[in-house]
Amino acid sequence: MAVSDRVPVTGGRRLCLRWGITLAVLIAAGGVLASHWGTLDSGTDQLAAADDEWLLLACCATVATWVCAAVAQQGAVVERLPRGRLVAAQFAACAANHILPAGAGASLVNLRFLTRCGLSTRRSATALAVKAAVGGIVRCVLGVALLVASPGAVPVSARVPHALVLVPVVAAAVGSAVLASGRLRRAVGRAVTDVREVHRSRGRACALWGGSVAFALLHAGVVVAVVHALGLTLPTSHVVMAYVVASGAAALLPTPGGLGSLDAALAFALTAAGAPGQTAISAVIGYRLLTGWLPMAPGLLVLGLLARRSAL
């Protein structure tokens, strides 16, 4: 009894610690915003005067990210999933992801969706892990490829520490080391079996990897379109690298939807790439508006509708 009584206490303490860290990060972010409110207000004004055609393109890229997420999720399982509900689930997961920290919202929605589609909880969790791992690998490879193809994509010698550019690579190495630990070897062994089943089908493998690549590039494309809408002439490779670095750095902080962590990292990376401070903030506001704030209310409505129809 004594041992069983300790388990929920430990879990509760861990949950409180996670939410405490999240709250501290949000409070710190609020303090930074308050101290730079004039710059933020000016950035909002710049966004209001942005080019409508580029913003429309950014909207289209945002919608396409949900389709690519659905394609990648289908590629992570052998069973055929209902296409319409799968895309709707990714839209709802996007909204849930901005409520719970560290991607927990999207994971819970997709886990529930996959189990409703007939997959066991273990296989559903494995499919989500495979999709997340492939997404991380894609971002790392994309960052390294940009550095090799365009060494000047981020002017690290002037304004960005060299180590920051390698954050996604370091994160992947740490994740690999954790997976290699003894406690997770058996779970990894079971996951490898499912991964092999997926990759036996060329179509499934292409959907998994192609959807993950397109998802990352389209998110970067939203930033690129917003930057162009604001009249900046930064090279596309610089902006894409800024997003890759920022998203890799934000993954290390468990804030809802990367709120605060991604915003600060992206603004810093864009400034380092040559954007003025106020314009970089405008770009971050535009990216966050299109990918998070505007889809929030309809996404939650879709989430409720899917739950009402027993799709979740």
Side-chain angles (χ1 to χ4, degrees):
M1 289 295 294
V3 175
S4 61
D5 289 340
R6 290 194 192 111
V7 175
V9 174
T10 303
R13 288 178 179 176
R14 289 179 180 175
L15 183 61
C16 290
L17 178 61
R18 290 176 182 175
W19 279 106
I21 294 174
T22 301
L23 182 61
V25 171
L26 292 177
I27 291 175
V32 173
L33 289 177
S35 62
H36 295 82
W37 184 255
T39 303
L40 181 62
D41 185 58
S42 177
T44 306
D45 292 339
Q46 289 186 19
L47 185 62
D51 185 273
D52 293 337
E53 292 183 359
W54 278 107
L55 289 180
L56 179 60
L57 181 61
C59 290
C60 294
T62 300
V63 174
T65 61
W66 306 322
V67 177
C68 291
V71 171
Q73 189 62 76
Q74 175 63 84
V77 297
V78 177
E79 294 83 357
R80 182 169 294 279
L81 304 173
R83 295 179 182 178
R85 282 187 289 170
L86 178 57
V87 175
Q90 304 314 305
F91 181 48
C94 174
N97 204 38
H98 285 78
I99 298 176
L100 297 177
S107 298
L108 289 174
V109 170
N110 280 302
L111 181 65
R112 182 69 175 171
F113 174 76
L114 292 176
T115 54
R116 284 290 189 179
C117 289
L119 280 72
S120 66
T121 302
R122 183 191 68 80
R123 294 194 61 245
S124 299
T126 299
L128 295 178
V130 169
K131 179 186 174 186
V134 169
I137 293 172
V138 164
R139 291 175 189 273
C140 291
V141 172
L142 181 60
V144 173
L146 283 172
L147 282 177
V148 173
S150 180
V154 177
V156 294
S157 60
R159 283 164 283 189
V160 181
H162 286 71
L164 183 60
V165 181
L166 298 178
V167 164
V169 180
V170 174
V174 173
S176 299
V178 171
L179 289 176
S181 63
R183 296 182 65 182
L184 296 178
R185 285 177 182 173
R186 286 178 297 191
V188 171
R190 292 193 298 265
V192 167
T193 302
D194 288 343
V195 171
R196 287 176 178 172
E197 288 295 326
V198 169
H199 284 80
R200 284 178 182 174
S201 171
R202 183 176 300 178
R204 291 283 187 269
C206 289
L208 174 61
W209 288 93
S212 299
V213 171
F215 180 83
L217 290 178
L218 282 169
H219 267 280
V222 174
V223 182
V224 171
V226 172
V227 165
H228 280 285
L230 294 170
L232 285 176
T233 57
L234 294 177
T236 300
S237 59
H238 290 205
V239 180
V240 174
M241 176 59 82
Y243 169 76
V244 171
V245 172
S247 60
L252 303 178
L253 294 176
T255 58
L259 181 63
S261 56
L262 177 59
D263 300 337
L266 185 56
F268 178 78
L270 288 174
T271 302
Q278 292 180 351
T279 309
I281 291 176
S282 297
V284 173
I285 293 174
Y287 170 77
R288 181 62 73 182
L289 184 68
L290 294 174
T291 60
W293 298 336
L294 287 180
M296 176 72 71
L300 292 177
L301 289 176
V302 171
L303 179 63
L305 182 61
L306 290 174
R308 185 176 180 180
R309 294 185 176 180
S310 300
L312 292 179

